[in-house]
Amino acid sequence: MPRIVRPTAYGTPDVLAVTEVPIPRAAADGVVVQVRAAGVNPIDWKLYSGAFHDVDDNHKDAAGIAASMPQIGLECAGVVTEVGAQVTDVEVGDEVIVYPVTAAYADYVTAPATSILAKPAALGWPEAGSLILTGATAVHALHAAGVSAGDTVLIHGGSGGVGLMAVQLAAAGGATVIATAAERNHALLRELGAIPVTYGPGLSARVKTAAPQGITAAVDFAGTDEALDVSLALVPDPTRIASITGSPRRAETGIKLLGYGPGEDAGADLRDAARADLIAQAASGTLRVIIDTTFPLAEAAKAHEIGISGHAPGKLVLIP
Ligand SMILES: NC(=O)c1ccc[n+]([C@@H]2O[C@H](COP(=O)([O-])OP(=O)(O)OC[C@H]3O[C@@H](n4cnc5c(N)ncnc54)[C@H](OP(=O)(O)O)[C@@H]3O)[C@@H](O)[C@H]2O)c1
């Protein structure tokens, strides 16, 4: 019987349970995909952590009961097993990348045909299943901060899933990249074209030493007050600072906030449009998807425990 991993309550990863469900059926405009790899992203544990509980409270049913627990697993790759009647450009047996999607921590997932992109043979399953969410977020953040050739960009959280994508994309675009990370990840960042700097007290001075020419833009994937304050101190124009996570303080600073909360830009069209190019770059090897660890589907809770610690250099991926 096919399995799915779902949170059974709000809380820590121990609320995740593996249950057996029938194979889902395709909608007329959608497909069913047998999942070969599902990317793990911080949004997955944030969704059931209670951090977004206010959002859930806005979605009560007519009886005033809170919406059902969130589905988790927002990207994957796999093989098409059923195609809806209205879908013309996807066939059973196609190897595909699926994004955006919900409930991808499963043996089978349904998705609209608009979420389906061909998986190049050159791309492995773990890489294909964990490329797009971080890659498209990185593209969005660099775009929002206006990063282009000639810029010196400060990337906070350069060794995380989103950061590793942004470092490579900014460097390939001709920017000088200063990236913050723990010391043990500096060699990897150098390999990808960045000048690594250790975060923590004294960050501003270390960045100035690494970039005496000055910082023209910053993207924050760490979300600490330190990252916000150093960005504001070093980047002359706050509209050239983009942040995907952090405290409510950010709203009063004039920087660009990206995401799905109030006052944030979700950038859905830009992110969707970025998918094909990200796949092409990853298939050609010019963009590396760095996998930290793969886990069997049933070990999703273990993957989340490691992810929550916030120091995995690269992607965590579930393999059903
Ligand atoms: N708004 C959106 O659309 C959107 C999209 C995707 C992700 N996000 C959010 O963005 C954040 C990053 O996502 P991710 O997938 O890149 O996470 P991740 O892979 O877990 O990476 C976490 C990063 O944070 C760094 N870090 C940990 N502690 C730090 C500290 N005290 N100061 C500075 N950096 C620190 C880590 O560096 P070391 O490992 O080197 O210590 C690592 O680079 C998450 O909060 C996620 O929810 C938002």
Side-chain angles (χ1 to χ4, degrees), residues 123 131 135 164-165 168-169 277-279 281-289:
L123 207 50
L131 160 69
L164 288 167
M165 287 287 155
Q168 295 179 80
L169 294 166
D277 192 42
L278 288 166
I279 292 168
Q281 289 186 62
S284 72
T286 56
L287 180 66
R288 281 170 61 192
V289 184

Side-chain angles (χ1 to χ4, degrees), residues 71-320:
Q71 306 271 26
I72 59 173
L74 304 189
E75 65 177 335
C76 67
V79 179
V80 175
T81 59
E82 187 192 348
V83 174
Q86 295 166 8
V87 179
T88 53
D89 51 355
V90 183
E91 290 180 9
V92 169
D94 284 356
E95 296 189 348
V96 296
I97 291 174
V98 193
Y99 180 84
V101 66
T102 54
Y105 284 17
D107 287 311
Y108 291 87
V109 72
T110 57
T114 50
S115 291
I116 302 296
L117 296 107
K119 181 188 92 65
L123 207 50
W125 286 115
E127 290 79 7
S130 63
L131 160 69
I132 304 287
L133 193 148
T134 53
T137 304
V139 168
H140 187 195
L142 293 172
H143 175 84
V147 176
S148 63
D151 272 317
T152 300
V153 59
L154 173 61
I155 299 182
H156 298 279
S159 54
V162 182
L164 288 167
M165 287 287 155
V167 162
Q168 295 179 80
L169 294 166
T176 300
V177 179
I178 314 294
T180 74
E183 201 103 11
R184 68 182 178 287
N185 294 322
H186 285 197
L188 174 62
L189 287 173
R190 270 191 212 98
E191 211 181 296
L192 298 177
I195 301 166
V197 172
T198 305
Y199 54 74
L203 175 61
S204 187
R206 286 192 293 281
V207 173
K208 282 183 192 163
T209 303
Q213 72 275 29
I215 300 291
T216 54
V219 288
D220 180 12
F221 309 133
T224 57
D225 280 349
E226 173 186 75
L228 177 62
D229 292 337
V230 168
S231 298
L232 288 167
L234 298 186
V235 180
D237 175 1
T239 68
R240 299 214 54 207
I241 302 170
S243 165
I244 64 167
T245 184
S247 77
R249 267 184 65 210
R250 296 176 301 155
E252 291 122 43
T253 57
I255 70 169
K256 305 265 181 69
L257 303 184
L258 313 184
Y260 301 90
E264 298 181 356
D265 173 22
D269 290 345
L270 190 142
R271 292 183 190 211
D272 281 355
R275 296 175 300 176
D277 192 42
L278 288 166
I279 292 168
Q281 289 186 62
S284 72
T286 56
L287 180 66
R288 281 170 61 192
V289 184
I290 292 161
I291 307 295
D292 182 74
T293 315
T294 60
F295 301 84
L297 180 65
E299 291 184 14
K302 188 172 162 191
H304 280 200
E305 295 286 3
I306 291 168
I308 287 167
S309 76
H311 298 288
K315 294 303 298 174
L316 306 172
V317 183
L318 301 179
I319 307 292

